[in-house]
Structure formats: C-alpha cells, structure tokens
Amino acid sequence: MVLGVAGGIAAYKAAELLRRFTEAGHDVTVVPTAAALRFVGAPTWAALSHHPVATEVWDSVHEVPHVRIGQSADLVVVAPATADLLAKAAHGLADDLLTSTLLTARCPVVFAPAMHTEMWEHPATQENVTTLRRRGSLVIEPAEGRLTGTDSGKGRLPDPDEIYDVCVDVLTRGAVVPDLAGRSVVVSAGGTREYLDPVRFLGNRSSGLQGYALARAAASRGAQVTLVAANTALPDPAGVKVVRVETTEQLRTEVLAAASSADAVVMAAAPADFRPTSTSEAKIKKADDGSAPALELTQNPDILRELSTTRPRAGAVVVGFAAETGDATGSVLELGRAKLARKGCDLLVVNDVSGGAVFGSPDNEAVILAADGGATEVPRGSKTALAHAIWDQVAPRLP
C-alpha cells in the first residue's frame, strides 16, 4: 500500500491510520509531501511503517521511485488530501513524488480530504473532486466538526478508523465500484426507544451495525448517504451525513424528509412496534403492595409501508428488513414473503434471528427477497459483505 500525506494540520491523524494498516499486516510505503513533513517528520513515518520514507524523486534514482512506487501498489490512499493536492491530482500535475505516484498508479485510489469549509465548498475544489470521481477515484466526503483554531464546519478529516474501514472495503472488492455515483440514498439504523418515564423505555436489541455497514458501503460506491441512526454508540461512517434520533416518530420524520430527494431508502433500523399511550413526567415508583402499573400500548406508524405506498420520490427503490424466528404460522421465509407482500417494498432482507442471532454480531446471513419473486441467498459473512450484496440488488433497479 501507499499512504500519501499532504501538507495539512490533519497530517498527524494519518499516523494513527498508518498504525492501523501496519498492525493489520499491510506493507505500507509512506509518501509525504514537503509541506506534510513540516507537520510530521520523516522519523515518525519510518518508525510506524518500518520502512524508509519516500520523499524525493531524486532518492534511489536507479530504482525510478516516481514510477515504481505507483506501479507496485495495490492501493493508494491520500490522507489528508488538501485542496492543493486534489487540484494537482485532477489536472495531472507531477511536481513531486506523491503526485508522480498518483499518475503511475493503476490500482484503486482513495482520497480523504481535509481543509477549511470555504476551501472545500469552493467551485474549483468541487470541480476537481468531480473530475477525480469521474475517473474512478474514491473521494470520501469530509466530516463536519472542529477545524483549525475556532473554526467549525465541513472539512474535517474523517476518523482514521473509518478511513481504514473504507480502504479495507476497497481492497476486499479489488476496485472502486462507483455504481452509486451521483445517487442519493437514505439508510436507517439502530433501534428506537419509546419512553415510559424519564428513565425507562421500551426498546429492542438492534445494535445498528448492519445499517452502518450499509451506509459505509454505499459511500464507498460513490453515493451521497444520509444515515438516520436511532440510539447507536457507533462512530460516524466516513463520508456519511448522520442524523440522530430516539423515538419511532422521530425516525419517521427524518427518514421521510430525507427520502423526498433519495434514489433509494434502506430501512435497516428496528422501529419499536408499540409505544405507551402516555408517558409519565416523573419516574414511576414501586408500589409498597408489590403491584405493577398497568401498561397501555398503541401501535407506532409503519414507516416501511408508508414509504412503499407513498414513494416520497417517484421511482425510488425501497428496501426493508425482516427479523423473523418462524412460528406455527410459517417458516422464516414464508413469513418474510408475507411481509414483503404486506409492506409493498421492492426488496426485503430476511434474517433468521432465532436465539438472538445477528444482534451485535459482526457477521450476518440473509435471503434478499424481491417483489418480482426473486430470491438471493447471502451466506454467513461480514455485515459489510451483506451490505454490498444488498446494493448489488439495488443498483440495477435504480431509475
């Protein structure tokens, strides 16, 4: 692998990304720009990569480093990628070792931008990003948050762990597959809570891992992703807009709002089916006689069915999830097919959750049922693998 580091204050975060790569067993050549070395010195990169740092086209000239490094790479990731570096890459400039490496690389290339908001939003930068994406590079959307000094906004380098996950995803797939480029998608994740009083709630065991994997996978395929997350404790996926909610009604409001401009909506969240008809403003106390308070429930709105029947955006693909255990009325798949017909969505991902399987696990397996009668079995594997299998089904159905 090649880790390119451009000259931005976020260069220090690339040291943690490098550590993740080397600890996972990847062989990494670090190629910092001259400006990057003013933020983090060559000894740091050499110590963490266990290799000499490549800084000049004139070093080891007999090995032709400005060509060899790019030719031999399986992946090139530039983090941080400054506005200057993006401009040079988009226009094919090769005035140092890193930009020369980018021109000679025939492997997947990932850029993780970091800069001030005004620089990121400038039309020149946006045109350069569009150019790089059109040529097949993956340019991760920067995060929002604290920037240099007191400034805050979009332009922050995504969390190194999230950049690492994106890179591993690209390496696993062997290419940047931009089949969702230019598309807007909405993914929901996690489990909603319905409060009984200020401290107690009705909820479920959804961890949000599958929804986050779906969001991350869509971003790696070029989509603009909005993730509506209910009560999760997971870090924001790189390049994804995250909207946090608690209750089913909040989830419904945010999903419907985002769905109005979305090409696809994937409802991976687990909304609570019921909520209390009333919520106590004070903590409910135990009764001295040992009795328990009566709990009256009402049904929550069916968000998946509403999306499927109203289609906030005409032609949008709607995907639902069904966590089933099977019972006397039918098997897991039979119940799944009945739910698909009842909800009216285009695809339904059916999980067998007997014994609590799936919840909180890094792995998953499922059957993806289609409204046209098709069925795709996805064997047990990572939730990222299932996420890509789902997008593989969504992409050809997009309008």
Side-chain angles (χ1 to χ4, degrees):
M1 294 178 57
V2 174
L3 172 60
V5 186
I9 186 63
Y12 77 93
K13 295 183 180 180
E16 180 58 31
L17 178 60
L18 174 57
R19 183 186 294 278
R20 288 295 311 272
F21 285 136
T22 56
E23 288 181 349
H26 298 290
D27 185 56
V28 186
T29 298
V30 182
V31 184
T33 65
L37 292 174
R38 297 177 69 90
F39 292 98
V40 181
T44 297
W45 304 120
L48 292 175
S49 68
H50 312 297
H51 290 302
V53 178
T55 60
E56 297 285 347
V57 294
W58 307 109
D59 295 338
S60 304
V61 174
H62 64 288
E63 296 181 351
V64 200
H66 71 290
V67 173
R68 177 187 53 80
I69 293 174
Q71 288 177 331
S72 60
D74 296 308
L75 177 75
V76 177
V77 54
V78 183
T82 59
D84 179 67
L85 187 283
L86 293 172
K88 289 179 177 180
H91 289 85
L93 300 184
D95 61 352
D96 62 8
L97 188 56
L98 178 52
T99 50
S100 297
T101 297
L102 290 169
L103 273 184
T104 58
R106 294 298 180 266
C107 60
V109 177
V110 176
F111 294 94
M115 64 197 74
H116 271 72
T117 305
E118 294 83 356
M119 299 175 75
W120 171 253
E121 293 177 346
H122 194 282
T125 301
Q126 290 301 303
E127 287 180 15
N128 292 332
V129 168
T130 299
T131 297
L132 291 169
R133 286 172 171 165
R134 187 179 67 248
R135 292 176 184 161
S137 296
L138 173 56
V139 184
I140 303 171
E141 288 285 313
E144 296 188 24
R146 183 72 176 269
L147 305 173
T148 307
T150 59
D151 292 342
S152 184
K154 189 169 186 177
R156 183 181 176 89
L157 186 74
D159 185 87
D161 286 344
E162 288 299 318
I163 299 174
Y164 172 82
D165 287 340
V166 169
C167 291
V168 170
D169 187 15
V170 172
L171 276 171
T172 301
R173 290 170 62 78
V176 174
V177 183
D179 56 353
L180 297 180
R183 299 292 191 172
S184 173
V185 304
V186 177
V187 178
S188 68
T192 61
R193 296 174 178 177
E194 303 298 341
Y195 284 89
L196 304 172
D197 62 25
V199 297
R200 300 183 181 92
F201 58 84
L202 298 176
N204 56 67
R205 295 179 59 188
S206 178
S207 66
L209 287 172
Q210 186 63 71
Y212 273 62
L214 280 156
R216 190 180 295 112
S220 76
R221 296 168 79 141
Q224 297 287 317
V225 186
T226 297
L227 174 63
V228 184
N231 305 297
T232 64
L234 303 171
D236 293 353
V240 171
K241 177 184 178 181
V242 180
V243 179
R244 301 192 180 280
V245 298
E246 286 190 284
T247 68
T248 300
E249 187 53 47
Q250 291 170 353
L251 180 73
R252 174 183 176 273
T253 298
E254 295 297 340
V255 167
L256 289 177
S260 63
S261 60
D263 297 294
V265 182
V266 182
M267 284 295 297
D273 291 326
F274 307 97
R275 69 180 186 276
T277 55
S278 62
T279 302
S280 174
E281 294 184 359
K283 181 181 176 181
I284 301 171
K285 301 295 191 297
K286 289 183 179 179
D288 292 336
D289 61 4
S291 61
L295 185 61
E296 185 177 353
L297 301 176
T298 186
Q299 280 196 15
N300 268 322
D302 190 329
I303 305 172
L304 178 58
R305 186 173 182 180
E306 184 175 1
L307 282 168
S308 301
T309 55
T310 63
R311 304 283 169 158
R313 182 175 183 180
V317 177
V318 177
V319 183
F321 271 68
E324 299 289 354
T325 59
D327 56 27
T329 65
S331 66
V332 167
L333 275 184
E334 288 170 340
L335 293 174
R337 291 189 186 281
K339 182 172 184 177
L340 174 63
R342 188 168 65 253
K343 301 292 186 180
C345 50
D346 301 292
L347 297 167
L348 188 73
V349 184
V350 182
N351 288 129
D352 185 343
V353 296
S354 302
V358 176
F359 298 115
S361 169
D363 297 328
N364 203 349
E365 61 182 313
V367 177
I368 306 172
L369 300 178
D372 61 10
T376 303
E377 293 188 25
V378 183
R380 178 159 293 276
S382 69
K383 287 184 173 177
T384 297
L386 176 57
H388 280 296
I390 293 168
W391 291 121
D392 287 344
Q393 294 292 315
V394 171
R397 290 176 165 83
L398 293 172

